[in-house]
Each structure stands twice: as structure tokens, then as C-alpha cells.
Amino acid sequence: MRRVLSALAALAIGGCVNQDLHLYEVRVHGSITAPSLPDAEGELHVVFHRARAGEGATSHPLGPFDASVLDGPGPLDETILVPTDDGEGLVIYAWLDLDGDGALCAPGGAVEPAGLIEVDKFPRHDVAIDLELGSNCAGPEALYP
């Protein structure tokens, strides 16, 4: 019975996908640092956003499309696939999980640094960044104009 239900669910989901997805390959490299905490350890959460997503009345800033979790601040060298049909620009947001709870500045947790950078002259296939985590407990919406 499970097998049949799984097959039906796959058919239902697959039946709804009927448009092409266009992706643009981008190599993002450079470094992510936390200058106020040079020896800090913890998982580094990196989220890739379109600077603007949606169209018309549903247009909004910051449309996330990919994310990575790294071992901590330091060098970054990621190849990402940016969807080209929904949005424009590229914004990279990161925060350092100092207490290991997987949540940015949860009540009673650590004060965790975050930072954001908007890529100039995008689209391009090679992006070099130096991202500093200089804002405490700030989500991407607080850091993006």
C-alpha cells in the first residue's frame, strides 16, 4: 500500500512541474570572517539570495534559493546555480552559530555575528567576495536596504 501511495504522490508532484528551469552557474570564492571574534568556532550558515524576487505586485527583496553550512569562518569556494527566471541580482548572507543550536540568536543563546554582501555587476560567472560578519543577531532583512 505504501508503494502505491508513494507512486501516486510522485505522479501528483511531477504532474505539477511543467515549466523549464533556467540556471546560471556562478563560482563564489573569497573569505568570510568575524573580525570581532577571530578565534570563534561554530557552523557558518551561508544563504544565497536573489536581490529582488517575484514580479509585479508579488515582487519582494531577498529571495533565498540556496544555502550551505561550512565548518566556520575562513575561505569560501562554492559553485552555485542561480535561477534566472525569477529575480535579479545576487546577495550573500552569512551568520556564525556560536552555540550550536541552529538558530540565529535564540532567546538565552549566544550573541551571534552576521553579515551580508550584494554582488556588484551581476550576472557574472566568477564572483570574489570578502564578507565580514560585523552585525550581531541581524537577519538578512535587517542588513539589506
Side-chain angles (χ1 to χ4, degrees):
M1 186 66 136
R2 271 194 186 151
R3 205 170 192 183
V4 171
L5 291 176
S6 296
L8 289 175
L11 273 174
I13 292 170
C16 294
V17 179
N18 61 357
Q19 71 184 62
D20 291 334
L21 179 62
H22 299 100
L23 302 170
Y24 186 82
E25 185 176 87
V26 179
R27 177 179 174 231
V28 180
H29 57 94
S31 65
I32 300 177
T33 58
S36 64
L37 302 165
D39 298 323
E41 294 182 7
E43 289 185 332
L44 180 69
H45 295 258
V46 182
V47 184
F48 300 95
H49 293 262
R50 295 311 308 261
R52 188 133 209 95
E55 295 179 12
T58 62
S59 178
H60 57 88
L62 297 177
F65 65 87
D66 199 358
S68 294
V69 178
L70 307 176
D71 290 334
L76 173 72
D77 196 345
E78 297 274 324
T79 298
I80 59 173
L81 298 174
V82 180
T84 60
D85 295 330
D86 185 30
E88 58 189 40
L90 178 61
V91 172
I92 302 164
Y93 168 77
W95 66 278
L96 183 59
D97 189 359
L98 294 174
D99 55 15
D101 66 356
L104 175 64
C105 294
V111 175
E112 296 165 323
L116 178 143
I117 189 168
E118 183 170 8
V119 174
D120 292 329
K121 300 176 184 166
F122 189 80
R124 55 190 168 138
H125 290 291
D126 188 74
V127 172
I129 66 161
D130 287 311
L131 175 55
E132 290 187 2
L133 308 181
S135 299
N136 289 331
C137 297
E141 300 83 5
L143 299 174
Y144 190 71

